[in-house]
Amino acid sequence: MSSQDTTPSKVAVVGAGMVGLSTAWFLQEHGVEVEVFDREGVAAGSSWGNAGWITPGISTPLPDPAVLSYGIKAVISPASPVYVPVTTDPRLLTFLAAFTRNSTMRRWSRSMRALVPINGHALPAFDDLAAGGVSAPAHEAHSFIAGYETRAETEFLLTELQHIAESGQDVGFEELTGDQVREAEPTFSERIGAGIRLLGQRYLNPGEYVAALADSVRARGGKIHEGSRVTGVTDERTGVRLAIAQSGTQTFDHVVIANGTWLDQLARPFGVRMHVQAGRGYSFSVPIEHTPKGPVYLPSQRVACTPLGDRLRVAGMMEFRPPEAPLDERRIDAIVDASRPYLSGVDLDDRQDEWVGSRPCTSDGLPLIGATTSRRVHVAGGHGMWGMTLGPATGRLLAGSIVTGRPAPELTPFDPLR
């Protein structure tokens, strides 16, 4: 038996976001010693400021025909919910070309069917984390409503829900009138004339939850190295060697690369050719008169709102720019202008925690999960908007695959070498 076939006893995880920490936690469930390395710190990337939705019922591929409807507006208008800068960056141009090719109904349906099995693990994996001592809650969404100005506008989401169901995904919903929407959730304004209530979903405070997950990893004996940038991974006869900026090297039995939009640099030498593109999202929090009983969704405006204590997190935008680019206030203004007519009792001018984070996106809308050309080097990334929802499921399935040496069938469509 070769060294690559033995059960690992010590594994490094690169990335301390939801995906990386979930993988570390589930590896610990199998008795594996783990160390996590992050270039900044826990939840420093896209895990901190996102909407915090746990929505396996609507976890769908990002490339779809509706995105293409933005057309040239996406390139020239900072107010567009999808913004693509004019660029000569060959990696971004290649990504956009492939993204466009995948934005057909046939390819969307194929990718949706691939997501259904892992979506089925999403909520049970959160239950495992709660039972295992992760202290932060994942709340049941007693009210998760998508609000629209007219009944006709609901047809797009209703059609999408039909296609999701036809793919085999379980998703429950109820249609509501405008009065029923406001009776259930006064955060919606009088401009809302119709709505759809999604059933069986959850939500959480992302920063709080990921911090609690990190605390649990530490309490179970794991080490988390913050401010430790991994600059290289080398598969050697004695193990996998990590080069760490300003810290030298360390060797482990296996490594999991889960560092979001920086995945390319470390994974490419191991046969991972699919580019992980930063799809940047923006958010901020505002005071509210009435605390919603769950997420408040404005699909036509592509704005997602989530109650976080006595404030409301307002999130939106898909901006294809480098992850290190500064926050663009025009995107914040666009979210404010788009959502203001449809929200009530929300002070959108009293903003705090303005934030931009980079969702790790792939051109086919499917994550990269599994072994690379080295059976000791694994990747877990490219979840797009669904890292919160699918992070624990990814960790549970990948950890089992690493320890047993048998790839989970649910992960087959997400082969990093595809």
Side-chain angles (χ1 to χ4, degrees), residues 64-255:
D64 70 66
V67 174
L68 298 185
S69 68
Y70 290 103
I72 193 65
K73 180 183 178 183
V75 179
I76 65 174
S77 173
S80 173
V82 180
Y83 176 71
V84 182
V86 176
T87 182
T88 58
D89 180 353
R91 286 191 307 171
L92 177 55
L93 292 173
T94 300
F95 170 84
L96 292 172
F99 187 95
T100 301
R101 288 195 301 271
N102 284 302
S103 296
T104 65
M105 196 63 230
R106 182 179 63 83
R107 294 194 179 190
W108 182 94
S109 297
R110 183 179 64 191
S111 295
M112 184 67 235
R113 289 192 297 272
L115 286 168
V116 170
I118 193 173
N119 284 344
H121 286 268
L123 299 185
F126 273 97
D127 293 340
D128 286 350
L129 292 173
V134 177
S135 59
H139 306 282
E140 295 289 341
H142 299 294
S143 174
F144 192 132
I145 298 177
Y148 295 87
E149 193 160 357
T150 67
R151 169 65 179 79
E153 290 177 352
T154 67
E155 288 300 324
F156 179 84
L157 181 55
L158 290 173
T159 300
E160 184 176 47
L161 291 171
Q162 179 183 346
H163 290 152
I164 292 171
E166 290 171 351
S167 299
Q169 177 68 52
D170 182 26
V171 54
F173 63 92
E174 300 170 346
E175 295 186 63
L176 305 174
T177 66
D179 289 340
Q180 289 172 326
V181 167
R182 282 183 293 278
E183 181 180 358
E185 193 45 76
T187 304
F188 287 103
S189 77
E190 292 292 329
R191 290 281 295 272
I192 296 297
I196 298 171
R197 190 203 314 267
L198 300 173
L199 307 175
Q201 312 303 302
R202 302 182 191 177
Y203 68 98
L204 48 74
N205 180 328
E208 174 187 79
Y209 191 92
V210 177
L213 180 55
D215 288 343
S216 183
V217 169
R218 293 188 186 102
R220 289 146 55 103
K223 297 178 182 179
I224 300 177
H225 305 278
E226 301 184 87
S228 294
R229 181 168 62 91
V230 175
T231 59
V233 177
T234 308
D235 187 3
E236 300 178 341
R237 184 180 61 82
T238 56
V240 183
R241 181 166 57 87
L242 267 61
I244 305 158
Q246 301 179 331
S247 300
T249 64
Q250 292 190 45
T251 300
F252 297 85
D253 298 325
H254 286 234
V255 63

Side-chain angles (χ1 to χ4, degrees), residues 277-342:
Q277 171 65 40
R280 296 170 14 124
Y282 285 74
S283 74
F284 52 86
S285 72
V286 292
I288 45 177
E289 295 177 2
H290 167 81
T291 301
K293 296 185 288 294
V296 170
Y297 185 23
L298 298 170
S300 297
Q301 291 71 37
R302 292 188 175 251
V303 173
C305 306
T306 310
L308 301 181
D310 61 351
R311 297 182 72 82
L312 187 72
R313 174 166 290 171
V314 183
M317 286 286 163
M318 176 63 73
E319 178 187 67
F320 292 121
R321 295 180 66 196
E324 65 275 8
L327 181 147
D328 188 336
E329 286 289 347
R330 296 177 300 172
R331 312 288 177 258
I332 299 289
D333 293 340
I335 296 172
V336 170
D337 293 343
S339 57
R340 190 186 297 276
Y342 305 103

